[in-house]
Amino acid sequence: MASANRVVFEDYFPAMVEKLGAEGFMQELHKGFRMLMDDEKGVITFESLKKKAALLGLQDMSDDEVRCMLREGDVDGDGALDEMEFCTLMFRLSPDFMKSCRKLVLEALLNEF
């Protein structure tokens, strides 16, 4: 749902982590990245995000909103999102998820050992 100049993000991440577990949730994030990325460049570009935004129900986003989303997550300043930048942005968009992040990290660490 969007208001005048703002996209409202419904925070489903905590429920997804609860249902899928840490590993399953990370796999879903990976799938999301691959769905949005430019297949040739291996990153999410303005063009790939604009083209595939309808898959997320964001077809009404303006070019400025798409650019803003990319800038928000583009840590290295290359104008695109690699998978780590995408995941970091998704975590930052989920305040409830950040509160419960410790559980996810502990579960992931326990699965490694």
Side-chain angles (χ1 to χ4, degrees):
M1 181 185 298
S3 62
N5 289 322
R6 186 180 112 132
V7 174
V8 177
F9 177 75
E10 182 103 23
D11 192 358
Y12 293 108
F13 283 3
M16 288 175 67
V17 171
E18 189 70 32
K19 181 178 179 183
L20 301 172
E23 190 173 326
F25 178 73
M26 293 308 291
Q27 288 173 353
E28 289 302 310
L29 276 180
H30 176 73
K31 288 178 190 175
F33 173 77
R34 299 211 30 101
M35 177 182 69
L36 296 172
M37 76 175 199
D38 179 301
D39 293 327
E40 292 178 15
K41 297 179 181 177
V43 293
I44 298 173
T45 63
F46 169 80
E47 293 79 14
S48 70
L49 185 55
K50 184 75 176 169
K51 180 179 167 184
K52 298 176 182 181
L55 297 172
L56 301 171
L58 301 174
Q59 63 272 9
D60 295 331
M61 285 181 68
S62 70
D63 287 357
D64 286 340
E65 289 171 319
V66 173
R67 284 187 187 95
C68 183
M69 184 181 285
L70 282 172
R71 276 194 308 272
E72 181 74 25
D74 184 15
V75 176
D76 62 12
D78 66 355
L81 300 180
D82 62 27
E83 190 167 3
M84 183 60 72
E85 290 171 326
F86 171 76
C87 289
T88 301
L89 178 61
M90 293 299 100
F91 289 137
R92 286 178 35 217
L93 290 174
S94 177
D96 289 337
F97 180 72
M98 292 303 290
K99 291 176 189 172
S100 62
C101 189
R102 182 175 180 194
K103 178 183 175 190
L104 176 68
V105 170
L106 289 174
E107 187 177 331
L109 288 173
L110 289 174
N111 286 334
E112 288 295 316
F113 298 106

